[in-house]
């Protein structure tokens, strides 16, 4: 008779199997951790490459912030795009090995990477209060992620379609699209160059819908590889079209934000807003808010407040980029136009071509300060 010790009624072989399972789980988590760190490094560096490409494009033509697309001809911008794609792929694969609670908070490392690289390569300085705001964004977003509800993984594209067409998520999606349209059509032409929340609000709201669509596409690809073809379902192609459209919109307005504002400010604000809205959209779509404890809900609210505080501090300490030479020929501000109207009589007396020294002084003080 075998006298080997047993644990909980299981033979030693079962104990050995449990140990190997734990080792495999640790190895998978380690792979996910390394992939997530590499993803953050790539994504953080991509901001710098894209910013330098945008600056070169702006020096020789219309800037992206005012509707130019010359950056598409800049090699540095494409290096940034490729770097970002590699980072996003690494992040996607990381979720295959490690849980979201481990992978998602590590996305905050991209903020630190971009801020450090911007300091050395773009000469963008981050004030002490800006550092505090950056820390608040990271801490707040991490708290939100750690206390976010667990997500149930659907087993087919049809299941995700049913979740996406439930009234609660349809209301969220319609609200996100409506807010984005208002920001794009009304706020962007008027306040886009002075308020960072306009461009990043569009990127974050549309980005939350992008993640939901990408998740559906990922499940479709996984099932197709396993032998259950999902290409025949129209839902798969609807999700694909939504994802492509949202990604294009995100890229356009993220480029405008990078071209207009300090990179060290764009990165943490975009990360904080995108993370918050994505968690919110996922919780609505998958109904994960039900069953949450009061402590988790309170922690999530505190995390959101912390993120909002951090973004406020960052925005208030933003160091504006010096105006480029092309900016000297942009249309005059409404205040200058008001001065022109107020001095119209003087201009008429000088054949509408000459302006007094007093008027030029007013313009200089009003426009360049």
């Amino acid at each position: 008779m075998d006298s080997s010790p047993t644990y909980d009624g299981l033979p030693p072989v079962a104990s050995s199997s449990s140990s190997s399972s734990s080792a495999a789980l640790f190895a998978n988590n380690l792979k996910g951790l390394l992939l997530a760190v590499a993803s953050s490094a790539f994504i953080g560096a991509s901001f710098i490459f894209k910013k330098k490409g945008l600056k070169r494009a702006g020096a020789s033509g219309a800037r992206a912030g005012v509707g130019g697309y010359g950056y598409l001809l800049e090699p540095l911008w494409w290096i940034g795009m490729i770097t970002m794609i590699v980072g996003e792929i690494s992040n996607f694969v990381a979720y295959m090995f490690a849980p979201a609670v481990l992978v998602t908070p590590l996305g905050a490392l991209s903020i630190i990477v971009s801020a450090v690289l911007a300091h050395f390569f773009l000469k963008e300085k981050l004030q002490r209060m800006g550092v505090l705001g950056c820390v608040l964004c990271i801490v707040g977003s991490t708290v939100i992620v750690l206390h976010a509800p667990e997500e149930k993984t659907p087993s087919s594209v049809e299941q995700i379609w049913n979740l996406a067409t439930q009234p609660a998520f349809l209301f969220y999606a319609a609200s996100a699209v409506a807010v984005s349209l208002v920001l794009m059509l009304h706020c962007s032409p008027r306040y886009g160059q002075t308020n960072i929340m306009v461009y990043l609000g569009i990127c974050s709201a549309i980005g939350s819908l992008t993640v939901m669509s990408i998740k559906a596409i990922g499940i479709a690809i996984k099932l197709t590889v396993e032998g259950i073809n999902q290409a025949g379902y129209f839902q798969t192609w609807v999700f694909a079209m939504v994802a492509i459209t949202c990604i294009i919109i995100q890229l356009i307005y993220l480029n405008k934000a990078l071209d207009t504002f300090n990179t060290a400010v764009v990165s943490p604000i975009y990360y904080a807003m995108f993370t918050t809205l994505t968690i919110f959209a996922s919780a609505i779509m998958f109904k994960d808010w039900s069953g949450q404890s009061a402590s988790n809900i309170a922690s999530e609210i505190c995390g959101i407040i912390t993120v909002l505080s951090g973004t406020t501090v960052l925005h208030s300490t933003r160091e504006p980029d010096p105006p480029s030479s092309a900016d000297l020929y942009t249309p005059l501000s409404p205040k200058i136009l008001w001065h022109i109207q107020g001095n119209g009589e003087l201009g008429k007396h000088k054949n509408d071509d000459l302006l007094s020294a007093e008027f030029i002084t007013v313009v200089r003080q009003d426009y360049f300060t």
Side-chain angles (χ1 to χ4, degrees):
M1 173 183 282
D2 184 25
S3 59
S4 299
T6 60
Y7 301 91
D8 296 331
L10 296 176
V13 175
S15 176
S16 175
S17 176
S18 176
S19 298
S20 61
S21 177
S22 298
L25 180 61
F26 174 79
N28 285 338
N29 283 345
L30 181 60
K31 291 177 183 177
L33 173 65
L34 294 177
L35 284 168
V37 172
S39 170
S40 297
F42 280 117
I43 293 174
S46 72
F47 279 100
I48 308 304
F49 286 117
K50 291 171 70 176
K51 179 82 176 199
K52 289 184 75 69
L54 290 168
K55 282 189 171 183
R56 286 189 179 182
S60 58
R63 296 167 44 229
V66 294
Y69 294 94
Y71 58 86
L72 294 175
L73 301 177
E74 282 295 328
L76 274 178
W77 186 86
W78 283 108
I79 292 175
M81 274 299 303
I82 294 172
T83 306
M84 176 172 282
I85 292 172
V86 172
E88 294 295 347
I89 292 175
S90 299
N91 191 59
F92 176 78
V93 177
Y95 280 105
M96 297 174 60
F97 292 100
V101 71
L102 172 64
V103 175
T104 307
L106 293 176
L109 295 177
S110 64
I111 300 172
I112 301 174
V113 171
S114 63
V116 172
L117 293 179
H119 177 79
F120 290 103
F121 295 102
L122 299 180
K123 307 303 180 183
E124 296 181 354
K125 297 185 181 297
L126 192 63
Q127 306 299 329
R128 290 183 179 179
M129 289 301 295
V131 174
L132 174 62
C134 185
V135 171
L136 287 174
C137 285
I138 297 173
V139 171
S141 298
T142 304
V143 169
I144 293 172
V145 171
L146 292 178
H147 293 86
E150 294 183 358
E151 182 180 279
K152 301 175 183 177
T153 304
S155 58
S156 69
V157 173
E158 288 181 313
Q159 286 188 10
I160 296 186
W161 181 262
N162 292 333
L163 294 173
T165 53
Q166 60 185 332
F169 185 74
L170 285 177
F171 177 77
Y172 171 81
S175 300
V177 172
V179 170
S180 299
L181 287 175
V182 170
L183 291 175
M184 286 187 285
L185 300 178
H186 177 75
C187 299
S188 180
R190 295 171 174 81
Y191 314 110
Q193 298 292 308
T194 57
N195 193 327
I196 194 173
M197 295 300 181
V198 175
Y199 293 150
L200 296 186
I202 297 171
C203 292
S204 302
I206 296 298
S208 65
L209 301 180
T210 303
V211 173
M212 302 300 105
S213 301
I214 290 294
K215 193 171 296 183
I217 296 172
I219 292 176
I221 294 175
K222 179 182 177 182
L223 292 174
T224 301
V225 171
E226 293 175 352
I228 307 174
N229 189 7
Q230 300 292 304
Y233 295 96
F234 79 92
Q235 294 94 333
T236 302
W237 301 105
V238 171
F239 283 123
M241 292 300 298
V242 171
I244 293 172
T245 303
C246 291
I247 289 173
I248 292 174
I249 294 174
Q250 278 183 268
L251 287 177
I252 291 174
Y253 285 94
L254 181 58
N255 284 329
K256 290 186 177 185
L258 287 171
D259 189 49
T260 307
F261 301 101
N262 192 304
T263 306
V265 179
V266 170
S267 300
I269 294 179
Y270 179 50
Y271 167 78
M273 294 177 65
F274 174 76
T275 301
T276 302
L277 291 179
T278 299
I279 291 175
F280 188 59
S282 181
I284 293 176
M285 185 169 175
F286 296 103
K287 296 182 178 180
D288 291 327
W289 292 111
S290 59
Q292 282 283 289
S293 65
S295 60
N296 278 341
I297 294 175
S299 297
E300 290 164 19
I301 293 174
C302 290
I304 292 173
I305 294 174
T306 304
V307 168
L308 293 177
S309 302
T311 54
T312 301
V313 171
L314 278 169
H315 192 44
S316 64
T317 58
R318 181 175 68 88
E319 183 178 283
D321 293 333
S324 63
S325 59
D327 292 337
L328 300 178
Y329 301 97
T330 54
L332 298 178
S333 69
K335 290 184 179 181
I336 298 177
L337 294 177
W338 183 88
H339 283 299
I340 294 175
Q341 294 171 0
N343 292 274
E345 293 297 324
L346 180 60
K348 289 180 181 178
H349 289 299
K350 298 201 174 188
N351 297 325
D352 294 336
D353 292 327
L354 301 176
L355 296 174
S356 66
E358 180 183 358
F359 171 75
I360 295 174
T361 303
V362 170
V363 171
R364 286 176 178 169
Q365 290 177 348
D366 190 38
Y367 188 60
F368 296 102
T369 61

